[in-house]
Amino acid sequence: MTLATNRDVRAASAQKQTILIVDDTPQNLTILGELLQPHYRVRAANSGERALRAASLQPRPDLILLDVMMPEMDGYAVMQHLHADASTSNIPVIFVTAMHDAESEEHGLELGAVDYITKPINPAIVLARVRTHLELKHARDRLAVENEWLESEVARRMSENLLIQDLSVRALACLSEARDNETGLHIVRTQTYVELLARHLENHDRFRDALAGEHLGRIVKAAPLHDVGKVGVPDSILLKPGRLTPEEFEIMKSHAMIGADAINKAMAQAIAACTDAEAAERAVKAFDFLEVAKEIAAGHHEKWDGSGYPVGLAGDAIPVSARLMALADVFDALMTRRVYKPAFDIDETTRIINEGRGKHFDPDVVDAFQACREQFADIALRFADPDPEAHEAM
């Protein structure tokens, strides 16, 4: 807890606490008021309706001494109204009544009263009960403030950790792109395409389970690592200014498993470094999104008809994450300029993707693309790579 918060709590406890006394008999109000005023700020009400108005005033009462037997609105009804209002529901209430039977006391406690004092009152008992319940309330208030601070601190640190995690993923992805002819904008575009497709398909019968809960977010977060394995491809192939030979292409294809193996090895080493089984279990759970990254790295060049690589998976055997990435990656390759091809326009790109429906791509993923086609085109334009000719002319 911060020093400022500690000071606030101490300052609040140092102020006189407020007690609301409620009784329809003026003499009873006078007796209780004279007893309590030397120690507390006292507010009085002589009816149920006035009690509810007084309870809503600032500062809120820290405790209410409430008579049960009052005309029009008795103490039980007042108690029910207090509990129904969020602003007064946490104010502790002590019933003060001439009713001595156990049934009445039990009913009051069932309604939420913290204590029950019978008339005629014993001043020492009243002061002792009031002091006890005010101390309990102060302890609860302090605990609530501390819990609120702890929750906000946990949320802040989790937010920072997630940001660091996202930045680390993006830095690793950019490192792999730095060795390629791609730019960092390729990462942004493909990640956004994947999210568009996933959002469109999250309620689809075939995709609902795979995109449920936090899994959709993990897919989006992991998408930038799809080509991380390119760091293991020789520069002579990765940076070749033209089409690859069949032999070179076979080496290029290895990037899928290089990436998946690197992610898998990193997770295994991290788990091996854990000091006990509990820490290892926490690490496994923390690596959920890296498991998805491994799926994407290994599977984003697999094809629906089984003609892809590195394994030749087909149909639903290809993870959903990899199926989404496959279309996003091909769309981006078609829409952007390469050393061996110009950038295609959206119509030509759409035609090629449609030709791959049921062959290269999951048919439902292609249908999702068609539904989001204009958004794809907008993203391609908004995050377009800088024109290299314009850059050379500067």
Side-chain angles (χ1 to χ4, degrees):
M1 179 176 275
T2 64
L3 290 175
T5 306
N6 274 320
R7 284 196 299 270
D8 291 342
V9 172
R10 287 197 299 269
S13 64
Q15 296 174 354
K16 268 194 173 183
Q17 293 166 296
T18 300
I19 297 178
L20 171 61
I21 54 177
V22 185
D23 200 302
D24 63 316
T25 303
Q27 183 181 0
N28 290 337
L29 290 176
T30 300
I31 292 172
L32 284 171
E34 290 178 349
L35 176 64
L36 298 169
Q37 277 178 342
H39 312 285
Y40 309 104
R41 183 190 296 111
V42 176
R43 192 179 297 162
N46 61 4
S47 71
E49 290 185 357
R50 287 193 174 95
L52 293 176
R53 288 198 294 271
S56 66
L57 297 176
Q58 294 292 346
R60 302 276 186 205
D62 296 289
L63 180 69
I64 299 175
L65 300 181
L66 179 59
D67 185 23
V68 174
M69 300 174 64
M70 295 185 294
E72 298 180 8
M73 182 184 292
D74 65 13
Y76 298 141
V78 172
M79 185 73 182
Q80 289 171 329
H81 279 82
L82 289 170
H83 274 205
D85 186 339
S87 66
T88 57
S89 61
N90 291 326
I91 302 174
V93 175
I94 299 176
F95 277 126
V96 182
T97 179
M99 300 167 68
H100 292 259
D101 61 288
E103 185 178 343
S104 297
E105 182 174 351
E106 182 179 338
H107 181 52
L109 295 173
E110 285 177 352
L111 288 176
V114 298
D115 211 337
Y116 204 93
I117 298 174
T118 56
K119 298 176 183 177
I121 65 167
N122 180 314
I125 290 176
V126 171
L127 287 174
R129 300 275 183 88
V130 166
R131 182 171 59 252
T132 296
H133 287 293
L134 285 174
E135 287 174 353
L136 286 172
K137 181 181 184 298
H138 175 65
R140 285 196 300 270
D141 290 347
R142 182 185 178 86
L143 184 61
V145 170
E146 290 178 349
N147 285 341
E148 184 179 354
W149 179 85
L150 284 172
E151 287 174 4
S152 66
E153 183 67 7
V154 168
R156 182 183 68 80
R157 293 189 181 186
M158 284 184 64
S159 178
E160 288 179 354
N161 288 340
L162 288 173
L163 179 59
I164 291 169
Q165 186 183 72
D166 288 343
L167 289 174
S168 299
V169 168
R170 195 164 294 277
L172 186 59
C174 287
L175 179 63
S176 67
E177 298 294 348
R179 297 192 58 248
D180 198 357
N181 291 317
E182 308 282 8
T183 73
L185 292 175
H186 167 73
I187 297 171
V188 175
R189 290 191 301 266
T190 52
Q191 184 179 38
T192 311
Y193 299 147
V194 165
E195 182 169 12
L196 268 178
L197 293 171
R199 296 291 178 196
H200 188 82
L201 291 166
E202 63 181 324
N203 294 316
H204 191 290
D205 289 343
R206 289 185 56 230
F207 297 86
R208 186 178 292 114
D209 291 343
L211 299 175
E214 298 178 358
H215 201 66
L216 189 154
R218 294 190 189 111
I219 292 174
V220 175
K221 179 182 287 188
L225 295 177
H226 65 283
D227 274 340
V228 68
K230 286 184 176 179
V231 296
V233 177
D235 286 350
S236 59
I237 295 174
L238 196 64
L239 303 178
K240 184 177 179 179
R243 289 190 176 277
L244 302 177
T245 66
E247 295 77 14
E248 290 170 336
F249 185 58
E250 286 301 313
I251 296 173
M252 174 64 86
K253 285 161 59 175
S254 68
H255 81 274
M257 288 311 300
I258 290 173
D261 290 344
I263 294 170
N264 196 55
K265 185 176 181 180
M267 289 191 292
Q269 289 180 353
I271 292 170
C274 292
T275 55
D276 54 53
E278 185 179 349
E281 186 178 343
R282 287 197 303 270
V284 169
K285 185 171 180 57
F287 293 156
D288 283 346
F289 96 95
L290 284 176
E291 289 288 350
V292 178
K294 184 172 69 173
E295 285 181 356
I296 293 174
H300 71 288
H301 286 295
E302 300 287 2
K303 296 183 179 180
W304 185 253
D305 63 5
S307 64
Y309 65 87
V311 180
L313 298 177
D316 287 331
I318 305 169
V320 167
S321 57
R323 281 180 256 160
L324 301 179
M325 191 70 236
L327 190 145
D329 200 31
V330 170
F331 177 86
D332 196 63
L334 293 171
M335 289 286 289
T336 53
R337 179 181 178 274
R338 295 289 187 270
V339 292
Y340 54 85
K341 63 168 276 295
F344 295 158
D345 62 25
I346 185 64
D347 292 331
E348 178 65 6
T349 297
T350 301
R351 183 190 65 77
I352 294 171
I353 287 179
N354 284 340
E355 285 182 353
R357 187 180 188 276
K359 299 174 185 176
H360 191 150
F361 309 114
D362 181 331
D364 287 324
V365 175
V366 174
D367 292 345
F369 159 72
Q370 288 284 16
C372 304
R373 177 179 181 270
E374 297 308 316
Q375 292 167 278
F376 268 69
D378 178 65
I379 292 163
L381 181 62
R382 190 167 10 127
F383 298 110
D385 291 331
D387 184 348
E389 294 179 0
H391 179 74
E392 290 172 5
M394 289 178 64

